[in-house]
Amino acid sequence: MSIQLAPSILSADFSALGAAVAAVERGGADLIHVDVMDGHFVPNITIGVPVVQSLKRVATAPLDVHLMISDPDRYIDAFAHAGAAMISVHVEVLPHLHRTVHALKALGVKAGVVLNPSTPPAAISEVAGDVDFVLVMSVNPGFGGQSFIARSTSKVAEVRALLDRAGNASAPIEIDGGIDQDNAPLVVAAGARILVAGSAIFRGGDPERATRELKAAALRALPSTAPASR
């Protein structure tokens, strides 16, 4: 499984999202990460369904929608129909997580579950065999530009082992929060295969170049495959 890079538009210029998306796609972005926040589950309010609809019209990369909201069950239909290809929901707010995962699958989107920094991997053990991906938060959700939590690297490895034990080796681990060229190789080595990056992409003034360089750094950390012996 190769690396997918998902630039987070949370750190982009909201007055020029179309240009931001085009730039990271030229740089090799595989996904566009969309952070939806409600000001309740997390202390920030960002964007909703209409922006996802607009992004769908301009993006060629699939939309990876992360719902940081208190009642995702109310909105998954709307985000799926707006154009999300992937939707991730937080285990911390869902008492019926199994039902929500399968409701997402029934909508034809990839179903992901999210773990906050203080939430242990064991919290998703009962759905580990059902999910399409797991998102590990490497910062506390709510705001861009935070520093990477170092322990997240070992947490990625724990989640990878959990998914493998559940017979779900094909489900990738996504990581979100403080990802840059310094720590990208570390999380890739631990098992992450989808890297979300915001500030590292958009704050330097050249998102196309930043996307290309971050993805290259991550790809270099992939375990090499030895050639078959003759």
Side-chain angles (χ1 to χ4, degrees):
M1 187 184 302
S2 190
I3 300 298
Q4 291 186 298
L5 187 61
S8 171
I9 63 164
L10 181 64
S11 297
D13 180 354
F14 274 29
S15 70
L17 286 182
V21 168
V24 297
E25 288 182 338
R26 289 194 302 271
D30 303 283
L31 305 164
I32 302 298
H33 190 79
V34 184
D35 288 309
V36 178
M37 306 182 190
D38 63 359
H40 186 255
F41 176 59
V42 293
N44 195 8
I45 297 173
T46 54
I47 61 178
V49 171
V51 175
V52 173
Q53 289 174 323
S54 296
L55 288 170
K56 178 62 176 175
R57 291 197 293 269
V58 298
T60 58
L63 300 182
D64 170 26
V65 176
H66 175 191
L67 298 183
M68 287 174 270
I69 60 180
S70 293
D71 192 3
D73 286 335
R74 290 181 59 190
Y75 300 101
I76 57 174
D77 288 53
F79 280 105
H81 289 121
M86 303 164 61
I87 295 178
S88 52
V89 294
H90 277 260
V91 61
E92 297 87 4
V93 298
L94 284 166
H96 306 292
L97 185 59
H98 178 273
R99 182 176 67 192
T100 303
V101 166
H102 285 273
L104 287 167
K105 288 173 171 283
L107 289 167
V109 301
K110 291 185 178 180
V113 294
V114 192
L115 294 166
N116 274 344
S118 63
T119 304
I124 63 167
S125 60
E126 295 301 320
V127 296
D130 302 296
V131 298
D132 294 312
F133 65 101
V134 175
L135 171 53
V136 173
M137 291 301 300
S138 45
V139 298
N140 289 292
F143 296 95
Q146 298 183 65
S147 297
F148 178 79
I149 297 173
R151 193 200 174 287
S152 306
T153 303
S154 60
K155 190 171 184 178
V156 167
E158 292 172 24
V159 173
R160 181 71 271 157
L162 175 65
L163 291 169
D164 291 348
R165 288 195 302 271
N168 200 359
S170 63
I173 297 173
E174 182 171 16
I175 189 162
D176 181 2
I179 298 299
D180 56 25
Q181 289 192 48
D182 292 328
N183 55 45
L186 302 177
V187 299
V188 168
R193 292 296 178 265
I194 304 173
L195 275 57
V196 178
S199 296
I201 297 294
F202 291 107
R203 294 291 167 85
D206 190 347
E208 179 180 347
R209 178 179 178 179
T211 299
R212 187 176 297 112
E213 292 180 347
L214 180 55
K215 189 170 182 180
L219 285 169
R220 286 194 295 269
L222 276 177
S224 59
T225 302
S229 58
R230 294 179 180 268

